Amino acid sequence: MTRLRSLGLILALIPAICSAAAAEPVQLTDALGRVVEIARAPQRIVPIFASNTELVAALGLSDRVVGIEAYTRYPPEVLDRPQVGGRLGFSVDAIVAQRPELLIVTPSRQAMHLLIEPMRRLGIPVIVLLSRSVAEVMANLRLVGQATGEAERGDAVAKVLERRLAAVEAAAPARRPSMVMITGRLGNGLVLVARADSYTGDAMVKAGGRHALERTIVAQVSPEAVIAADPDILLFAGRKDELDALVAQPGWRLLRAVRSGNAHLVARAEFLIPGPRTVDGIEKLAALLRRTAQP
Amino acid sequence: MTGIECRSIRVEAGGKRLLDDVSLSFSLGTLTGLVGPNGAGKSTLLRVLAGYRQPDAGQVLWQGRDLTKWSAAERGAAAGYLPQQLEPAWNYSVEEIVALGASRAAASRPIADLIGEHGLKDLAGRRWNALSGGERARTMLAATVAPRPGIILADEPGASLDIRHRLDLAHRLRSLAETAVVVVIMHDLDLAARFCDRIVLLEAGRVVADADAESVVHDPELERVFNIRLQRQKLDRDNDWLIGLDA
Amino acid sequence: MKRISLLVFAVLLTLAFGAMAGHDWVSPTRLVAALSGDTSLQSQLLMVWRLPRVLAAALVGALLGLGGAIFQGVFRNPLAEPYLLGSAGGAAIGATIALLVPLGLPAGPALAGLSFLGAWGATWLVLAIAGLHGRPDTAGLLLAGVAIAAMLGALRSFLMLALSDDTVNLQVVLSWTLGGIQTPDIAGLLLLSALVIAALALSMKLARGLDLLGLGEEQAFAFGLDPARFVRIAVLLGAGIVAAAVAYGGLVAFVGLIAPHLARWWAGPRHAAMLPASALIGAALVCACDGIARAVLPPAEVPLGLITALFGGPFFLLLLARRLRA
């Protein structure tokens, strides 16, 4: 958290050459291939979803955020901004009331379907971001930088994070342990796992592990399959009491990872929000793997 | 006191009085016919006597005891009810229905006997949907009399039967009446006259005539109530009365 | 008796199928090895996870078969199904609360207990509203059931929206409503077995009454049944049995409708034979469908309710075709 803020402060001191460059209209292509034209550097931004808010904040542009979604919990300076949506969906009226000049959305929870058409009619530019891999998260930082007229800042922030990733990769032990990350439990007894082809799955690999489960089509998986895969390490994105409750279910104590103390918690904010904190998560996981690798 | 009795029965529904202060008593050894035009309250009265319908006023006594004090099991064992038509939800077999009838009392007659007596021996395994009207009536009768009930109530049991089966049924009810109280709703005045010991004539919820069959048959009220003219004929054989109906 | 033994054999076959089916298929030799004490992970997983699951599936199916048979007998209607009197709606509310409200209770028992209470409670509510005095008014019961089900459904949707947040979302509850057996631990399995035995014993006591009701209310009354009292008892027992099934297996559709149908066809309409047959057929159906649910889309599971619905639809089309031809 401190790293990001100091980064933002340093970059904010870059002279006005950047703001002059940002005066021209920007045209870019978002993740869905939509060509979006942004007339001038937007000063009022509404990032829908916590991940997009963190991307904007990572560029030091927290003060330009004028509306957030109810589930956003970070960074602390934006938490008092007006909420434009949450569990029951998004309010076009609430968004428009903030007079935004840019909307950043991800195609989750109907956000895309609800908002793109009304915003288009109102002339408010919307960019849609996808995060299918860690590399795409880095690309999103650059894209948001472009969209907000801070292209150089975006590039710089992304470069710093990429260097950290490279450092992790360099220090990775030779043998990659097999891992399964459980991100939730369903009411019918199935567990939700991080899929190999998601950014979370990618993050696990970047941290130095490999996937114990073959490519899963959906995130919901039978506990039997997880136990049969018998990973070296079991990761759980949640609280300790939730992990304990899971492990108390029939069969889980058969896992080597459980019996040998290799069932670990990871922070949901670091692995389930595709933003700069994902790199924090990767570094912590890599450190964990290095500790476990030592005999 | 081995009969059934009803006192001051009043039944109202939808603002209409279906039965108005009806008091009757029926004793062992009598076959009573309940007759009357449609809507006279015959079915309602039978249901009240059976305990199925609670009257708005009045009392029903079986064997001298208030019917509301009888338990369901006692009721089932002591009486039998023959419906106009039975529409079971499931395709029971003849034997299964007779067995259900026999299950009302521990001392019921053996099912094999009942089946034999009612001419059902070749039909024992046949299912309800495959039975003719007459076969169904015989099955119901066998089931009804299985626990040797002292009270038998019947609601036009021969309504959908051909004349042969109607006569058979009437004969059987007649012989049952020797050891039980039998009350039967009859639309067929001819059969009522020939087989009943006593006829009760109902009109608009009231008892209009109540006497032995021969007297009622000669009562002019009968013609008035049905709005017809009756021709009475006495047969030499068996002293049976054959009533021809004239418009 | 012979007919019942054939059904028992069918259940054993489906149990074997269920034990072999799953995200990876287990050969009979591996199964035998596991049963005789092999200590490999696979064998232990079979004994600790899959076998209890398969047994639970059969037991839940038995409960559904019994519950469905009782409801069909009470309503004298072969299309009556166990969720008629609001138990599905009530169970869903119980489950929603258990899954979305942090009650501080252990999750598994809370889910089972609350869905049971919800299912049974809803039926009590329906009985109270329909008010059974004197004559059992089955039409009134059905009306009350439809009304309660609608209101409970609305309440459940509201609860789901109001209580979900970013960590526990709608999918958690929806997955439960689609039905699915959760592998029980030993205590849970023993409790479920005890429930099935009790359910069977109590249902058999209803057999004569259900037979009598089948003749018609008036005739049942004449044959010494107290219809209002009997209907009340039968409905509560049937609902309790269904509630237990729902507590262990979520909302599984069609089994409570199909099993009694098949039981009547196989063992005849007399409830003394039809009730155990319905339990056995229900057990075989759910066990087979659960095996399919686990095997079709590895490593995920298809919700059990979807599989039973996939079979349920064509079954009724078949019934319709036979009816039209006759």
Side-chain angles (χ1 to χ4, degrees), chain A residues 71 87 187 220 222 224 250 254, chain C residues 44 50 161-162 164 171 182 299:
Chain A
Y71 293 149
R87 125 177 26 119
Q220 309 156 25
S222 159
E224 199 187 17
L254 294 173
Chain C
Q44 286 197 58
R50 196 181 282 190
L161 285 174
S164 60
Q171 193 188 23
Q182 306 202 25

Side-chain angles (χ1 to χ4, degrees), chain A residues 151-234:
Chain A
E152 282 172 27
R153 215 189 280 189
D155 194 43
V157 171
K159 276 213 175 67
V160 167
L161 293 172
E162 282 163 343
R163 260 188 301 237
R164 284 166 60 187
L165 284 173
V168 165
E169 212 153 333
R175 187 188 154 270
R176 286 172 169 274
S178 63
M179 308 195 293
V180 170
M181 182 189 298
I182 295 179
T183 59
R185 289 176 66 191
L186 289 183
N188 60 3
L190 297 185
V191 292
L192 294 170
V193 301
R195 294 190 3 243
D197 54 357
S198 65
Y199 70 90
T200 312
D202 191 26
M204 289 159 68
V205 170
K206 289 251 184 309
R210 63 183 166 86
H211 288 280
L213 285 174
E214 312 136 16
R215 309 254 129 192
T216 56
I217 319 163
V218 288
Q220 309 156 25
V221 165
S222 159
E224 199 187 17
V226 174
I227 301 171
D230 204 18
D232 297 320
I233 296 184
L234 181 70

Side-chain angles (χ1 to χ4, degrees), chain C:
Chain C
M1 211 43 223
K2 191 183 84 174
R3 303 206 143 211
I4 298 283
S5 353
L6 278 175
L7 285 181
V8 172
F9 183 65
V11 171
L12 291 173
L13 270 183
T14 50
L15 281 174
F17 167 75
M20 293 193 285
H23 76 97
D24 71 29
W25 284 81
V26 172
S27 68
T29 37
R30 278 243 307 267
L31 190 54
V32 170
L35 287 168
S36 23
D38 183 35
T39 51
S40 69
L41 175 68
Q42 281 170 348
S43 297
Q44 286 197 58
L45 196 51
L46 265 174
M47 295 297 290
V48 165
W49 198 92
R50 196 181 282 190
L51 278 184
R53 163 73 171 253
V54 166
L55 286 170
L59 291 169
V60 166
L63 289 174
L64 287 172
L66 277 176
I70 292 176
F71 271 89
Q72 289 188 2
V74 166
F75 287 97
R76 284 197 299 282
N77 190 328
L79 289 180
E81 50 107 24
Y83 303 126
L84 261 186
L85 296 185
S87 36
I93 290 201
T96 302
I97 294 176
L99 289 168
L100 297 183
V101 173
L103 292 168
L105 300 166
L111 179 59
L114 282 175
S115 45
F116 176 86
L117 283 174
W120 214 29
T123 308
W124 277 92
L125 188 59
V126 168
L127 277 175
I129 291 180
L132 279 184
H133 349 271
R135 216 74 48 74
D137 182 11
T138 42
L141 272 179
L142 287 174
L143 275 175
V146 169
I148 294 291
M151 292 196 287
L152 289 178
L155 181 61
R156 191 245 309 185
S157 300
F158 171 74
L159 281 177
M160 278 170 67
L161 285 174
L163 296 174
S164 60
D165 62 17
D166 51 345
T167 49
V168 185
N169 58 24
L170 304 180
Q171 193 188 23
V172 172
V173 178
L174 281 172
S175 60
W176 183 90
T177 58
L178 291 176
I181 315 284
Q182 306 202 25
T183 302
D185 55 13
I186 291 291
L189 193 58
L190 285 175
L191 178 59
L192 182 54
S193 310
L195 285 172
V196 171
I197 293 174
L200 196 55
L202 290 171
S203 307
M204 291 303 279
K205 288 198 185 274
L206 292 180
R208 179 173 169 265
L210 289 171
D211 283 339
L212 291 178
L213 261 190
L215 293 171
E217 261 169 44
E218 216 172 322
Q219 200 59 35
F221 180 87
F223 272 18
L225 189 72
D226 182 349
R229 189 171 155 269
F230 180 79
V231 165
R232 173 176 230 103
I233 292 175
V235 163
L236 283 175
L237 179 63
I241 290 175
V242 170
V246 164
Y248 276 90
L251 297 175
V252 179
F254 279 109
V255 174
L257 197 38
I258 295 178
H261 245 98
L262 292 174
R264 220 169 279 123
W265 167 73
W266 180 256
R270 246 183 70 248
H271 285 85
M274 182 261 196
L275 284 171
S278 193
L280 288 168
I281 292 175
L285 276 177
V286 172
C287 195
C289 287
D290 178 66
I292 295 173
R294 281 180 290 114
V296 160
L297 213 57
E301 285 177 21
V302 177
L304 181 59
L306 290 187
I307 304 285
T308 54
L310 268 177
F311 283 107
F315 176 81
F316 281 98
L317 284 176
L318 198 70
L319 279 184
L320 180 65
R322 289 178 72 200
R323 196 185 164 77
L324 291 174
R325 239 184 289 140

Side-chain angles (χ1 to χ4, degrees), chain B residues 198-236:
Chain B
R198 172 184 170 206
I199 294 182
V200 171
L201 175 62
L202 284 178
E203 184 197 20
R206 290 210 158 101
V207 176
V208 165
D210 175 8
D212 60 286
E214 193 164 331
S215 310
V216 176
V217 158
H218 285 98
D219 194 332
E221 283 291 274
L222 199 56
E223 283 183 330
R224 182 195 61 75
V225 161
F226 284 102
N227 197 22
I228 48 158
R229 272 200 326 121
L230 289 174
Q231 192 179 331
R232 297 159 189 77
Q233 232 167 296
K234 196 170 191 304
L235 291 178
D236 296 322

